[in-house]
């Protein structure tokens, strides 16, 4: 049985005011026991695709302040929490249970040949970068690299361009490509570090 948290600490170790069951209630028939910030990050993890220390700093702090309770609530939904402190990303995946009939909660997104080729290229760019810092790619550079797949995907320029654009938009919507301050101007995006974790070699 989950117990009501009686205390918490901030990231710098300073104690904060205790949380009791009455204060944790957020609406009239609320029976939850997590703090509001922990519920928010729990919902963000379930919604996906991931949270980032850089881009979702408030949720990241809430996760680090209450990881065991959040992990427990996710486990109740057959979800496994993955936290990579070094890269500052966290996400959930379907738990590998002993029960073959366990539901698969995390939705999957089918990949076309173009999606797969783009994903592999982006991951290669990410892992080959030295120093483990941010990796920025330009749309034109990626498009040029993917020309090698043209004969397998489409015989005409318009059809091939349509498929590349569709894959780029998918990577953007899934959070694999992250917009920078100048993305709308120069078409350059950052490759999310989560790509190192969700797809192995």
């Amino acid at each position: 049985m989950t117990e009501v948290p009686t205390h918490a600490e901030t990231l710098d170790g300073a104690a904060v005011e205790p949380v009791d069951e009455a204060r944790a209630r957020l609406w009239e028939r609320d029976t939850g026991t997590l703090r509001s910030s922990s519920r928010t990050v729990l919902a963000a993890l379930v919604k996906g695709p991931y949270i980032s220390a850089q881009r979702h700093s408030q949720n990241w702090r809430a996760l680090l302040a209450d990881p065991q309770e959040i992990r427990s609530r996710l486990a109740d939904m057959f979800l496994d929490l993955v936290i990579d402190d070094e890269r500052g990303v966290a996400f959930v995946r379907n738990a590998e249970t002993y029960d073959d009939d366990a539901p698969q909660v995390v939705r999957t997104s089918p990949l076309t040949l173009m999606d797969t080729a783009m994903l592999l290229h982006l991951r290669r760019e990410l892992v080959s970068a030295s120093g483990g810092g941010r990796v920025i790619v330009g749309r034109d550079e990626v498009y040029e690299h993917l020309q090698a797949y043209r004969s397998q995907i489409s015989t005409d320029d318009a059809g091939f361009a349509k498929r590349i654009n569709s894959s780029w938009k998918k990577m953007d919507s899934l959070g694999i490509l992250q917009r920078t301050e100048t993305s709308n101007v120069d078409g350059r995006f950052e490759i999310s570090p989560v790509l190192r974790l969700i797809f192995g070699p």
Side-chain angles (χ1 to χ4, degrees), residues 54-118:
Q54 178 187 356
R55 294 176 176 267
H56 317 111
S57 57
Q58 188 171 351
N59 278 343
W60 182 258
R61 288 193 297 270
L63 174 61
L64 296 187
D66 205 7
Q68 294 309 317
E69 284 293 333
I70 292 170
R71 187 181 298 278
S72 177
R73 301 305 174 87
L74 289 167
D76 286 338
M77 295 184 283
F78 297 96
L79 293 173
D80 182 32
L81 173 63
V82 179
I83 303 175
D84 189 312
D85 293 309
E86 181 182 350
R87 298 182 178 92
V89 292
F91 61 95
V92 296
R93 60 188 173 195
N94 291 316
E96 296 182 3
T97 69
Y98 305 121
D99 180 3
D100 293 337
D101 295 326
Q104 299 293 293
V105 180
V106 174
R107 293 175 300 169
T108 58
S109 180
L111 299 177
T112 65
L113 175 59
M114 180 59 78
D115 296 338
T116 304
M118 185 174 292

Side-chain angles (χ1 to χ4, degrees), residues 4 47 86 102 113 135 141 147 188 200:
V4 178
K47 183 178 179 182
E86 181 182 350
L113 175 59
V135 179
E141 303 162 17
Q147 290 291 330
R188 299 185 68 76

Side-chain angles (χ1 to χ4, degrees), residues 124-137:
R124 185 164 53 249
E125 292 291 304
L126 186 66
V127 299
S128 64
S130 59
R134 297 175 66 190
V135 179
I136 308 295
V137 293

Side-chain angles (χ1 to χ4, degrees), residues 136-139 141 178-180 182-183 186-190:
I136 308 295
V137 293
R139 188 185 335 228
E141 303 162 17
Q178 299 178 338
R179 294 178 178 272
T180 67
T182 61
S183 292
D186 59 14
R188 299 185 68 76
F189 287 65
E190 179 180 354

